[in-house]
Amino acid sequence: MTNQYCPICGEQNRCMVDNEHPCWCFEVGGFPKELLNKVPEESKGKQCICKKCLEAFNEGQPHSK
């Protein structure tokens, strides 16, 4: 991914910050379909969701800027 901002909240997504280790998102085992559906169509496949949005979704609360 080339865009460093989350398509849901607009904060930095910290995708592939460390080129020596896999991205944090590889460790979570995937994203829920319901969360992926919140990504605007024009951002799908171009911007990664941030860890805060994933955690907030899993806790049942939206993370917004």
Side-chain angles (χ1 to χ4, degrees):
M1 297 284 162
T2 57
N3 196 309
Q4 60 184 339
Y5 298 98
C6 175
I8 296 174
C9 71
E11 293 186 19
Q12 287 193 339
N13 56 25
R14 306 209 28 93
C15 179
M16 300 299 287
V17 230
D18 180 357
N19 291 330
E20 295 181 25
H21 300 92
C23 186
W24 67 268
C25 66
F26 287 102
E27 299 173 6
V28 299
F31 288 77
K33 183 178 179 179
E34 295 84 5
L35 181 59
L36 292 174
N37 288 339
K38 295 180 180 279
V39 175
E41 197 62 39
E42 65 273 8
S43 297
K44 289 184 179 182
K46 298 176 185 168
Q47 291 176 263
C48 291
I49 297 169
C50 73
K51 192 171 191 176
K52 288 181 184 179
C53 280
L54 175 62
E55 290 171 349
F57 179 85
N58 287 336
E59 293 173 5
Q61 300 182 18
H63 172 245
S64 57
K65 196 172 182 182

